Amino acid sequence: MKLAYWMYAGPAHIGTLRVASSFKNVHAIMHAPLGDDYFNVMRSMLERERNYTPVTTSVVDRNVLARGSQEKVVDNIIRKDNEETPDLIVLTPTCTSSILQEDLENFVERAQIDAKGDVMLADVNHYRVNELQAADSTLQQIVKYYIEKAKKKGELPEGKTEKPSVNIIGVSTLGFHNQHDCTELKRLMADLGIEVNEVIPESASVHNLKNLPRAWFNLTPYRELGIMAAKYLESEFGTPYIDITPMGVVETARCIRKIQQVVNAQGANVDYEEFIDNQTLHVSQAAWFSRSIDCQNLTGKKVVVFGDNTHAAALTKILAREMGIHVVWAGTYCKYDADWFREQVSEYCDEVLITEDNGEIGDAIARVEPAAIFGTQMERHVGKRLNIPCGVIAAPIHIQNFPIGYKPFMGYEGTNQIADLVYNSFTLGMEDHLLEIFGGHDTKEVITKSISADSDLNWTKEAKAELNKVPGFVRGKVKRNTEKFARERGFEQISLEVMYAAKESVGA
Amino acid sequence: MTNTVAPEALTFECETGNYHTFCPISCVSWLYQKIEDSFFLVIGTKTCGYFLQNAMGVMIFAEPRYAMAELEEGDISAKLNDYDELKRLCLQIKRDRNPSVIVWIGTCTTEIIKMDLEGLAPKLESEIGIPIVVARANGLDYAFTQGEDTVLAAMAARCPKQVLEAEKEERSGIQKLLSFGRKKEEVAAEESEYVEHPPLVLFGSLPDPVVTQLTLELKKQGIKVSGWLPAKRYTELPVVEEGYYVAGLNPFLSRTATTLMRRRKCKLIGAPFPIGPDGSRAWIEKICSVFGIEPKGLAEREKQIWENLEDYIQLIRGKSVFFMGDNLLEISLARFLICCGMTCSEIGIPYMDKRYQKAELEMLEKTCNEMGAPLPKIIEKPDNYNQIQRIYELKPDLVITGMAHANPLEARGINTKWSVEFTFAQIHGFTNARDILELVTRPLRRNHALKDLGWDKLVKEEAKV
């Protein structure tokens, strides 16, 4: 047993449902107790989805517990098959059903006899994989199922497309800015003269999966979702895949160069160097931003980064390599894929933090007292309490992270969006500077918002006045340091003298 | 609409139970806030945790007094010892939070692997010195608000019997300290204002302002509320003795009612619930009648509230409402809305306790007859898919539904109100009737503001066979 207040990645079935409901006309039936269909609420609220989420429950109740599901699951599959005529029904086990150890495979086989559509059992172990791993394996499972089906029927199309083409693999519902990234990637491919063969799973039809082998290569922009499917296609058809996330100026260029190499190896003759150059210097504003005076003010500022593998790694590189910001630690909650993360970020930060424990992360932030945090919604709330600004860069996310406006993180427009996000997260440079010179314009009473300094100490009037002269954004820190100093030395009252002594002792 | 010939009695149907609702463990979100010195430990899997974290939204970040005891593979296969594991976690909770009670919430998983929480709790309780209350609020047996019912039923067993005088003094001493003091003293001074009647304990978790409002409402009739289940703190659970009278505040508390009657030998006052001015009046009148008190000024009070509601009622009079059903408040809300002049063809409800809700059902029937509205069909364990087909046919003016269906229905030009808001808003008593209508009319007011834009249907025609 584990005491947990918060979790970063959801349970396995969420991953399966995300993939299944991303496809068009695929229905998922959960074998679950009442109330486990919370996925529908999330999709309807966060994505503001206009259509009914194609997920229903075959309810596990006391009767099922006593006698087994018997006909219930099969009936529910066939009923849904009649009502909505989906192309595919994915029977989704949950944590509850996996302990019941019913033979769901058998239900699927029985239902398949009467159902007009295809029926499949999502093959995930609830106690071993999380949402992200399950999503990855479900996508692979569906791809494999339809490739094999097409093979058997002799419907697999021969050869590649005439012009260079790509499958974009891993765009899914409830993914962080996935819709916008997808649009941006399609635009990028169009600029490069590469046809988009298929995008999966988002808005894809399972009937088109047999066309996947026609692409020249596969692009898997997200580390968490799509690589298993890409690997399968590589082993089956020799299709190369590119897993460089085009996020940030340098990585986008690297991704494009890799595309160049892959398509030229198959007989195309393309040179993207001029395109990269033009985009970098004149179209995207990010390179110019990093050179501008604004960004100069960010030099050496301390930040921490936490999120999923894709976003935390990309942001760490952008901050350190493209903006000259000091990343004190970078972390991920993708423990199962920690080696990859370490390898990606080690040279760009002082320390790597691999954990799913939000308490540990909160403490690590409090310890470092960075000027800004880049993390998930959880880190945003830690930031609120410590009075440190936070830019949200990864799931878990709230409704405000599903913006209506166009906000990709990938490609060249993505670099612009990230530059805005980073810049706006810091106290504006000039304002910061002026506050330091004039001792701050904020004369409000200090309210402690910190974790570490729930004060029981008295401040003399003079000391309090002096504290108020400290600029607002570092005041909390000064207050905490002074009180820590006073406590360590047994002062009950904080006078001006104590305050200055504290300041000297920390050398600030 | 109001002229339709009404059937003679309410009809009850039962469908497939394929409906959307919250898992009953969601009750921790409001109960941990209500019971200030409690700690709720949900013993379940990642699925439970994920639900809580997403359903609670922002609350999760305020250092909540609840946590998951997340079961791992070793727990499921009994490689680990349940008792030792729970002891380890509860000691950690004791050390970090020092609560007055730890409530274990049993989930589907603990049911299936048959973890004997009720057996483990007393042993561990004596070992670590903190009361442990066990509530099995799982999705196998219950829906949404019924979670509170399982917790309160378990708490009912912990209510003290008549305390000694000295202890009584001490108990009220604590209350005095907690800013309740002034009010308590006043109450003591005004003891003479109360009519002589047997002790009355109310059950149901309500926000503190509503507790105060209802207590004062009864005080006007000379009725003294001896205690509430739950109180603000676990250490202040009310004295419950044989022969005490109890009354429920919410329609989903049937297990609590049963426990109070059978285990604690209390007498249940079966009344409609104080939701809407009509319900509030009926609730008070019923309590008065049980104590042989002639209610004073209730008719005027109700009339005045109705007058205050007129601007909202104008918006809904003659309109139709459809309850998909997910939180068991449906009967009372429908009764109130019909009293406001709405019509209702279908009331979906997860579970219908016809005994506990008897008075409410009678009042619903009576209200329909008085208003000349057709009697609604009550659909227990509804089937959401079928309901949506019926909604398409009936085209109701308002559908009260869960969030899973709200946006899709809105996109198809159907006004919806998110049902969960009724659970979290203050809806009890005369004072809060306006809040109910504020919620009910909001979609109508909003959509009225947008009505000339031609944006009713925002989905492309679905090619469905």
Side-chain angles (χ1 to χ4, degrees):
Chain A
M1 269 180 221
K2 200 169 80 182
L3 195 65
Y5 293 89
W6 168 264
M7 65 184 72
Y8 285 93
H13 71 268
I14 297 286
T16 296
L17 297 180
R18 272 178 58 191
V19 167
S21 63
S22 293
F23 279 105
K24 253 192 302 205
N25 214 24
V26 170
H27 199 100
I29 294 185
M30 296 166 68
H31 188 238
L34 200 64
D36 271 4
D37 57 352
Y38 191 71
F39 178 79
N40 297 32
V41 177
M42 288 180 59
R43 189 151 180 275
S44 178
M45 284 194 82
L46 300 177
E47 295 260 33
R48 290 183 205 87
E49 183 54 57
R50 300 176 198 211
N51 285 311
Y52 300 100
T53 301
V55 174
T56 42
T57 311
S58 176
V59 179
V60 174
D61 56 16
R62 279 282 156 190
N63 290 331
V64 171
L65 222 53
R67 308 175 305 136
S69 292
Q70 299 192 341
E71 301 303 314
K72 198 171 185 181
V73 176
V74 177
D75 287 350
N76 278 322
I77 294 174
I78 293 177
R79 179 183 163 190
K80 204 35 80 179
D81 187 62
N82 286 326
E83 282 168 359
E84 315 232 334
T85 56
D87 297 324
L88 169 67
I89 290 177
V90 180
L91 181 59
T92 310
T94 57
C95 56
T96 309
S97 69
S98 57
I99 332 171
L100 288 176
Q101 300 191 324
E102 285 194 89
D103 190 358
L104 297 179
E105 193 68 65
N106 173 39
F107 295 154
V108 164
E109 276 165 29
R110 276 165 53 200
Q112 186 64 82
I113 297 168
D114 293 318
K116 290 180 283 293
D118 298 313
V119 188
M120 161 196 295
L121 173 67
D123 186 15
V124 290
N125 180 331
H126 255 81
Y127 293 91
R128 301 212 175 142
V129 297
N130 68 18
E131 168 188 353
L132 304 169
Q133 294 161 290
D136 205 12
S137 74
T138 302
L139 183 61
Q140 190 240 22
Q141 197 190 347
I142 293 176
V143 167
K144 188 173 170 193
Y145 181 91
Y146 280 97
I147 295 283
E148 281 178 358
K149 189 178 174 188
K151 255 191 202 163
K152 228 179 270 170
K153 286 187 165 178
E155 286 174 351
L156 212 55
E158 290 284 317
K160 304 281 174 195
T161 55
E162 203 177 312
K163 284 203 217 151
S165 63
V166 60
N167 297 317
I168 300 174
I169 301 180
V171 180
S172 85
T173 189
L174 291 173
F176 183 71
H177 292 239
N178 271 205
Q179 308 278 2
H180 306 302
D181 284 346
C182 183
T183 309
E184 185 63 20
L185 288 176
K186 282 182 184 166
R187 203 151 88 179
L188 182 63
M189 293 305 135
D191 287 348
L192 297 175
I194 290 173
E195 280 173 6
V196 176
N197 187 52
E198 297 289 340
V199 177
I200 61 168
E202 186 58 44
S203 303
S205 160
V206 289
H207 297 310
N208 293 351
L209 292 176
K210 61 173 182 291
N211 296 330
L212 287 172
R214 283 176 58 77
W216 289 33
F217 69 99
N218 293 317
L219 178 63
T220 52
Y222 303 104
R223 175 71 192 169
E224 292 78 18
L225 175 54
I227 301 221
M228 279 179 78
K231 282 191 174 149
Y232 165 76
L233 292 168
E234 186 184 45
S235 70
E236 201 71 8
F237 304 102
T239 318
Y241 71 92
I242 296 173
D243 60 356
I244 300 166
T245 305
M247 201 182 291
V249 179
V250 178
E251 289 297 291
T252 303
R254 203 159 75 86
C255 180
I256 295 172
R257 290 198 180 99
K258 183 77 187 172
I259 293 172
Q260 175 179 314
Q261 186 199 329
V262 164
V263 297
N264 283 349
Q266 295 177 61
N269 182 18
V270 294
D271 183 357
Y272 295 139
E273 286 305 328
E274 200 187 323
F275 172 78
I276 294 172
D277 222 41
N278 189 44
Q279 285 287 333
T280 305
L281 299 182
H282 305 296
V283 179
S284 156
Q285 298 295 319
W288 159 234
F289 168 75
S290 63
R291 185 75 210 202
S292 71
I293 300 299
D294 277 335
C295 193
Q296 210 179 78
N297 285 329
L298 303 182
T299 311
K301 291 246 185 209
K302 288 198 295 184
V303 300
V304 298
V305 181
F306 191 80
D308 60 7
N309 267 356
T310 305
H311 293 89
L315 255 290
T316 304
K317 291 180 199 169
I318 293 170
L319 292 164
R321 188 164 57 183
E322 298 177 18
M323 295 180 178
I325 292 166
H326 179 188
V327 181
V328 183
W329 57 257
T332 179
Y333 54 82
C334 299
K335 275 170 95 167
Y336 64 95
D337 198 15
D339 293 342
W340 181 88
F341 186 76
R342 268 201 203 91
E343 185 205 311
Q344 294 288 312
V345 304
S346 293
E347 58 177 307
Y348 301 108
C349 58
D350 305 348
E351 198 186 322
V352 176
L353 185 67
I354 312 278
T355 180
E356 288 173 321
D357 177 355
N358 70 291
E360 195 182 334
I361 296 155
D363 288 347
I365 294 172
R367 169 167 52 85
V368 170
E369 303 212 31
I373 307 166
F374 297 93
T376 71
Q377 279 292 338
M378 188 68 209
E379 284 68 51
R380 191 173 74 86
H381 284 265
V382 173
K384 264 189 183 168
R385 282 177 41 194
L386 295 173
N387 214 1
I388 301 170
C390 177
V392 175
I393 56 148
I397 36 186
H398 283 171
I399 194 150
Q400 66 263 39
N401 305 114
F402 288 87
I404 301 169
Y406 186 53
K407 290 204 162 55
F409 269 61
M410 289 188 183
Y412 286 107
E413 178 55 26
T415 63
N416 294 339
Q417 297 294 335
I418 293 171
D420 277 344
L421 177 79
V422 171
Y423 186 61
N424 293 337
S425 298
F426 287 99
T427 310
L428 296 179
M430 210 52 190
E431 188 186 354
D432 175 337
H433 195 55
L434 289 174
L435 280 168
E436 241 165 88
I437 292 171
F438 297 114
H441 52 55
D442 185 355
T443 51
K444 278 184 299 192
E445 281 290 298
V446 182
I447 302 157
T448 314
K449 284 182 186 150
S450 54
I451 292 177
S452 49
D454 215 359
S455 177
D456 49 339
L457 290 160
N458 278 326
W459 287 68
T460 64
K461 221 168 105 192
E462 296 76 26
K464 216 180 230 169
E466 190 64 20
L467 182 66
N468 283 343
K469 285 187 206 152
V470 175
F473 59 95
V474 286
R475 194 180 298 148
K477 191 171 166 178
V478 171
K479 183 162 188 272
R480 276 195 295 281
N481 283 341
T482 311
E483 289 181 351
K484 193 172 151 219
F485 175 86
R487 228 173 255 126
E488 277 166 9
R489 281 161 186 76
F491 293 115
E492 272 168 21
Q493 202 177 44
I494 296 173
S495 60
L496 273 177
E497 287 81 0
V498 176
M499 210 178 153
Y500 288 130
K503 192 177 173 188
E504 281 154 23
S505 85
V506 296
Chain B
M1 280 298 281
T2 47
N3 294 329
T4 335
V5 182
E8 267 135 39
L10 290 168
T11 48
F12 296 89
E13 281 176 33
C14 189
E15 279 193 306
T16 64
N18 272 317
Y19 64 102
H20 166 76
T21 182
F22 274 9
C23 175
I25 60 171
S26 52
C27 68
V28 306
S29 69
W30 64 87
L31 288 176
Y32 92 77
Q33 293 189 337
K34 175 72 196 177
I35 308 169
E36 288 169 1
D37 53 352
S38 62
F39 191 99
F40 285 76
L41 184 68
V42 182
I43 305 162
T45 61
K46 250 184 181 325
T47 305
C48 314
Y50 196 65
F51 162 71
L52 277 178
Q53 149 177 341
N54 284 294
M56 307 301 127
V58 176
M59 274 194 264
I60 195 123
F61 301 107
E63 293 223 352
R65 290 185 318 281
Y66 75 77
M68 291 292 309
E70 198 182 311
L71 300 169
E72 292 165 303
E73 209 169 3
D75 299 303
I76 305 298
S77 54
K79 276 201 189 101
L80 299 168
N81 181 306
D82 297 338
Y83 184 80
D84 294 340
E85 291 295 299
L86 284 168
K87 185 177 158 190
R88 185 170 56 81
L89 301 192
C90 289
L91 283 172
Q92 195 181 333
I93 292 164
K94 185 185 177 184
R95 194 186 61 221
D96 295 348
R97 307 294 171 104
N98 194 28
S100 310
V101 61
I102 297 177
V103 183
W104 285 354
I105 303 287
T107 62
C108 304
T109 312
T110 57
E111 287 296 311
I112 295 170
I113 64 174
K114 300 197 165 51
M115 194 184 278
D116 181 20
L117 297 177
E118 278 94 346
L120 297 174
K123 255 165 68 186
L124 191 56
E125 179 172 313
S126 61
E127 203 176 329
I128 67 170
I130 295 180
I132 295 173
V133 173
V134 180
R136 302 186 188 189
N138 61 70
L140 294 167
D141 300 307
Y142 305 110
F144 195 14
T145 48
Q146 287 180 292
E148 175 181 320
D149 194 21
T150 62
V151 174
L152 295 190
M155 291 258 177
R158 302 299 184 114
C159 289
K161 298 207 165 160
Q162 191 68 294
V163 276
L164 298 166
E165 282 309 308
E167 221 176 302
K168 213 178 190 175
E169 190 53 44
E170 195 187 332
R171 287 171 69 83
S172 67
I174 296 167
Q175 286 171 335
K176 264 178 211 159
L177 279 176
L178 290 159
S179 78
F180 248 35
R182 200 178 31 162
K183 209 173 72 215
K184 279 277 157 185
E185 277 160 17
E186 268 172 33
V187 170
E190 292 159 359
E191 199 72 46
S192 55
E193 287 178 27
Y194 293 114
V195 179
E196 192 81 10
H197 66 80
L200 171 69
V201 171
L202 302 178
F203 59 94
S205 165
L206 295 180
D208 295 334
V210 184
V211 168
T212 311
Q213 286 159 11
L214 290 173
T215 308
L216 292 176
E217 210 70 66
L218 288 174
K219 192 181 159 197
K220 280 187 197 155
Q221 307 300 332
I223 295 167
K224 186 181 172 187
V225 180
S226 309
W228 285 75
L229 173 67
K232 263 169 92 79
R233 302 175 65 81
Y234 178 76
T235 48
E236 290 161 15
L237 277 180
V239 172
V240 175
E241 273 204 277
E242 188 169 344
Y244 275 28
Y245 281 82
V246 291
L249 271 308
N250 270 319
F252 45 78
L253 298 172
S254 43
R255 277 175 68 92
T256 311
T258 311
T259 309
L260 287 167
M261 286 191 293
R262 294 200 185 145
R263 296 280 171 85
R264 309 304 303 258
K265 312 273 182 255
C266 296
K267 291 175 188 153
L268 178 71
I269 302 176
F273 300 98
I275 292 170
D278 49 339
S280 303
R281 177 180 172 184
W283 184 73
I284 295 168
E285 276 179 346
K286 184 64 195 281
I287 295 173
C288 287
S289 81
V290 167
F291 293 145
I293 297 167
E294 185 68 34
K296 300 181 289 263
L298 272 185
E300 297 75 47
R301 180 121 170 88
E302 190 195 351
K303 187 163 161 266
Q304 183 210 337
I305 298 287
W306 281 116
E307 276 165 16
N308 290 342
L309 298 178
E310 185 53 30
D311 53 339
Y312 275 158
I313 290 176
Q314 275 176 9
L315 297 172
I316 53 171
R317 195 172 280 141
K319 294 218 159 68
S320 56
V321 60
F322 187 107
F323 286 86
M324 286 186 77
D326 70 350
N327 60 15
L328 286 98
L329 293 171
E330 291 87 1
I331 304 289
S332 312
L333 286 172
R335 178 258 303 148
F336 168 52
L337 292 180
I338 291 169
C339 202
C340 291
M342 292 189 92
T343 58
C344 179
S345 58
E346 174 163 338
I347 307 175
I349 186 166
Y351 170 75
M352 183 74 246
D353 185 334
K354 288 185 201 164
R355 276 196 302 175
Y356 177 63
Q357 294 221 43
K358 187 164 176 280
E360 185 62 87
L361 286 167
E362 282 166 4
M363 187 165 174
L364 171 67
E365 206 170 328
K366 192 172 130 248
T367 304
C368 287
N369 291 335
E370 279 171 12
M371 300 301 294
L375 284 166
K377 257 189 202 159
I378 295 170
I379 311 272
E380 203 181 348
K381 293 185 187 299
D383 184 295
N384 280 169
Y385 183 86
N386 295 344
Q387 284 185 313
I388 285 169
Q389 310 311 312
R390 293 198 288 270
I391 288 170
Y392 290 161
E393 261 166 52
L394 292 164
K395 296 191 174 55
D397 296 304
L398 181 68
V399 176
I400 296 183
T401 178
M403 200 62 226
H405 296 106
N407 268 339
L409 284 170
E410 287 283 347
R412 284 157 183 79
I414 294 163
N415 299 325
T416 61
K417 182 75 231 152
W418 187 24
S419 53
V420 173
E421 288 189 58
F422 293 103
T423 354
F424 293 125
Q426 304 190 352
I427 60 169
H428 292 78
F430 288 118
T431 323
N432 298 310
R434 203 172 166 82
D435 290 49
I436 306 176
L437 290 187
E438 159 68 31
L439 288 177
V440 169
T441 58
R442 194 180 296 157
L444 302 171
R445 283 179 284 132
R446 194 271 310 267
N447 293 344
H448 181 78
L450 311 179
K451 76 177 182 339
D452 296 328
L453 295 168
W455 293 344
D456 287 2
K457 298 227 166 71
L458 294 151
V459 278
K460 294 182 185 143
E461 281 306 312
E462 287 156 290
K464 281 277 134 61
V465 190

